[in-house]
Amino acid sequence: MSESSAGSSPVLLKVDHIAVAYGDLVAVSDVSLEVRRGELIALIGSNGAGKTTTLRAISGLLPLGAGRIELGGEAIHGLPPSKIVARGIAHVPEGRQLFPTLTVLENLELGATVSGHTRGNAETLDWVFRLFPRLRERHRQLAGTLSGGEQQMCAIGRALMARPTLLMLDEPSLGLAPVVVRSIFENLVEINRAGTTVLLVEQNVLRALGLCHRAYVIENGRIALEGPRDALAQNPHVKQAYLGM
Amino acid sequence: MAVGLSLIFGVMRVVNFAHGDMMVWGMYLALVLSERARLDPYVSFVVCAAVLFLLGALVQRTLVDRILDAPHEMQILLMLGVALVLENLALMVFGPDPQRVSSSLSAATIWIGPLFVDVARLTTFALAIVLTLAVYLFLFRTRLGRMIRAAADNTYGALVIGTDVRRVYLMAFGIGAACVGAAGALVSGFLPFQPAAGLSASVTSFNIVIIGGMGSLIGAFVGGLLVSVAESLGAVFLSPSLKELVSFSLLVVILLFRPAGLFGRRAT
């Protein structure tokens, strides 16, 4: 988890002053952030601050009201979600959004089908199974019958099958037991070390700050604070508002 | 036919009221092919399926695509509109009189043990099973089929992982319509039809789909068997004009005990 290694690498994702509204309701008014290749970045904030909206905008699921989004220097806002996945951004959505009546294996394979990666599929699948041995044991089971933690593993695995350069996760800890959360967060660090850049959205600020390189704090639809994790963890406002100290 | 409807509803949650009229168009197509090209409906059903696939895809791309996010009642209005257009087009082109396609199998009958069986109906039944199986295999063994099932399961999830959901819808609607086209051609040899038959066909297939469970293929097949057996028994023991009474009573009874239909998933 060294900050220096990724700190000077080129910018992978650049979100530049974006605004997103649902009809008249402005959910994100001004968010800018940068993710460098190889980093593990956390976007933290309370419920309704605009975290999920930001991720959905990056994935092309919501149109921008203003601003631009670039991946590797190329504008991606305005592209349909299918094109954005093909460019290398995989999104593990809030609530996992698996296909409950399909098997675990089918769920995983769908993650790969879509982005057009048919070759090297078996290799990626093998990696996913090594990361989450549980999924290998249960690959014939229907995804809807998995436990919450296993479903989260399946959702992460499904996203990894697209072989993304940037993996975005929306509240992977939601509704899971602390011991399960710990193991999933260990997996995230492992995925990051293996070369995948990670953008993690979390309400669980303490844990998120424990594993990221840098973090952004979002409040009322704008970025309120940003910085390396140690600086943020020492920040009086963060301590008081998010860490309950 | 019910299989097609179930597929469309299951994937897109669109209530396709034009279903019966699409079937009637399949029947007329079989008629035209038999008169002009001397194609037996048991051969031409392949052509009918292909043409209806295109018609379904066209309706999907130009009309349904715009209203997928609209409330159900808007979809019902639109599909009723499509149904009316199709029905009246058939009326304009083919006239109001009942028609029938002659097939080489129409007159043939065979004895199976003590049973006296109409070869045409038997062939239709066999082909219906084959078609259902084919659709089933397509959905469970192919990539596109898997994508259709995924989109039916969780549309948002499919979108998130980058599925081109519009293309999946196009294929699902097209295949649904193709099933109907094939079904129309396959029954055209023994069921007389006229342009107005569309609505009652739609209603019957809705009955079948609801009994079987919305969006379930196996449900549609079993529902179809149940309804046709119920109607035949009703016609024999009560009177032919009361056969619908039997099948709709069956619907009421089944919904009383299984509100989601025989194979339906409970609404969440």
Side-chain angles (χ1 to χ4, degrees):
Chain A
M1 255 182 273
S2 67
E3 284 136 46
S4 53
S5 62
S8 54
S9 59
V11 174
L12 178 63
L13 176 78
K14 186 175 159 99
V15 175
D16 193 9
H17 295 288
I18 63 164
V20 188
Y22 298 94
D24 289 338
L25 186 78
V26 177
V28 161
S29 52
D30 183 11
V31 165
S32 297
L33 52 89
E34 277 186 3
V35 180
R36 293 176 180 278
R37 222 171 261 282
E39 277 188 314
L40 200 169
I41 298 296
L43 177 61
I44 56 188
S46 55
N47 233 339
K51 305 184 299 289
T52 297
T53 306
T54 302
L55 282 201
R56 295 185 62 190
I58 296 172
S59 284
L61 295 161
L62 290 173
L64 294 188
R68 41 188 292 123
I69 299 173
E70 288 174 6
L71 183 75
E74 283 177 59
I76 55 164
H77 54 280
L79 292 178
S82 53
K83 293 270 161 54
I84 291 178
V85 173
R87 295 273 183 110
I89 299 185
H91 183 161
V92 183
E94 189 177 6
R96 310 184 276 262
Q97 306 292 345
L98 295 174
F99 308 114
T101 70
L102 274 62
T103 66
V104 170
L105 186 63
E106 283 177 325
N107 268 276
L108 292 176
E109 282 174 345
L110 273 162
T113 328
V114 168
S115 60
H117 283 299
T118 36
R119 218 173 300 156
N121 203 340
E123 210 176 289
T124 319
L125 187 66
D126 194 55
W127 180 51
V128 169
F129 280 158
R130 263 184 286 129
L131 269 172
F132 305 111
R134 269 300 177 73
L135 295 183
R136 191 197 297 271
E137 284 165 30
R138 315 213 154 194
H139 70 277
R140 285 167 176 279
Q141 214 168 306
L142 296 186
T145 64
L146 297 177
S147 74
E150 289 161 353
Q151 287 193 13
Q152 190 62 57
M153 294 172 197
C154 187
I156 296 173
R158 184 181 66 178
L160 287 176
M161 289 297 288
R163 302 221 252 164
T165 42
L166 174 65
L167 177 69
M168 306 196 300
L169 304 103
D170 196 349
E171 305 249 8
S173 70
L174 202 71
L176 301 182
V179 56
V180 181
V181 174
R182 192 173 316 135
S183 106
I184 283 184
F185 276 20
E186 277 163 16
N187 290 135
L188 292 185
V189 172
E190 198 178 335
I191 291 165
N192 180 240
R193 286 215 180 112
T196 308
T197 310
V198 178
L199 176 59
L200 170 70
V201 156
E202 261 299 335
Q203 252 187 87
N204 191 334
V205 173
L206 189 61
R207 278 201 195 281
L209 284 181
L211 72 119
C212 70
H213 302 132
R214 290 188 298 124
Y216 291 83
V217 179
I218 185 169
E219 280 173 5
N220 298 320
R222 10 180 114 243
I223 298 294
L225 282 169
E226 61 173 288
R229 63 180 179 127
D230 296 330
L232 279 184
Q234 295 306 319
N235 181 294
H237 175 70
V238 172
K239 271 180 145 172
Q240 200 233 328
Y242 299 102
L243 301 175
M245 291 185 223
Chain B
M1 161 172 199
V3 165
L5 191 63
S6 222
L7 189 64
I8 292 177
F9 179 80
V11 176
M12 300 198 279
R13 313 270 145 202
V14 167
V15 179
N16 183 8
F17 268 101
H19 215 68
D21 292 287
M22 288 184 170
M23 175 165 104
V24 170
W25 270 90
M27 292 165 137
Y28 276 110
L29 208 59
L31 178 72
V32 170
L33 286 170
S34 131
E35 283 177 351
R36 296 283 159 81
R38 309 234 141 271
L39 272 182
D40 196 278
Y42 289 100
V43 178
S44 69
F45 79 93
V46 182
V47 183
C48 296
V51 173
L52 266 286
F53 177 89
L54 293 178
L55 176 69
L58 185 75
V59 169
Q60 155 66 22
R61 185 43 52 95
T62 55
L63 299 171
V64 182
D65 222 28
R66 300 162 192 268
I67 53 131
L68 276 175
D69 300 324
H72 265 316
E73 56 268 27
M74 300 297 287
Q75 301 175 359
I76 290 173
L77 279 180
L78 174 76
M79 293 325 287
L80 272 179
V82 173
L84 284 176
V85 169
L86 287 178
E87 176 174 337
N88 287 294
L89 267 180
L91 204 57
M92 266 168 65
V93 179
F94 302 106
D97 301 325
Q99 306 264 14
R100 202 186 155 125
V101 182
S102 58
S103 159
S104 52
L105 300 178
S106 294
T109 48
I110 48 165
W111 290 91
I112 299 178
L115 296 172
F116 187 60
V117 185
D118 189 340
V119 175
R121 284 169 195 263
L122 190 68
T123 314
T124 296
F125 180 69
L127 284 173
I129 292 179
V130 171
L131 281 180
T132 310
L133 259 175
V135 172
Y136 186 86
L137 285 178
F138 164 74
L139 286 176
F140 283 84
R141 292 279 179 272
T142 68
R143 248 214 244 175
L144 183 61
R146 199 158 57 198
M147 279 158 75
I148 290 179
R149 282 189 299 134
D153 229 12
N154 183 348
T155 310
Y156 178 67
L159 205 57
V160 163
I161 62 166
T163 311
D164 187 346
V165 174
R166 286 183 66 205
R167 194 174 77 97
V168 171
Y169 282 168
L170 189 76
M171 295 304 290
F173 210 101
I175 292 165
C179 290
V180 188
L186 288 176
V187 297
S188 65
F190 51 84
L191 280 186
F193 52 94
Q194 64 212 54
L199 184 62
S200 80
S202 283
V203 170
T204 305
S205 55
F206 270 108
N207 187 7
I208 291 173
V209 166
I210 295 169
I211 285 179
M214 294 284 231
S216 158
L217 284 188
I218 304 160
F221 190 71
V222 174
L225 284 178
L226 275 177
V227 166
S228 55
V229 169
E231 290 198 349
S232 318
L233 289 177
V236 171
F237 290 107
L238 297 168
S239 101
S241 56
L242 284 180
K243 64 188 172 89
E244 266 93 7
L245 180 75
V246 180
S247 57
F248 283 99
S249 309
L250 181 71
L251 171 69
V252 171
V253 172
I254 286 180
L255 286 189
L256 274 179
F257 294 101
R258 294 208 45 116
L262 290 178
F263 293 86
R265 267 182 290 146
R266 218 157 279 266
T268 43

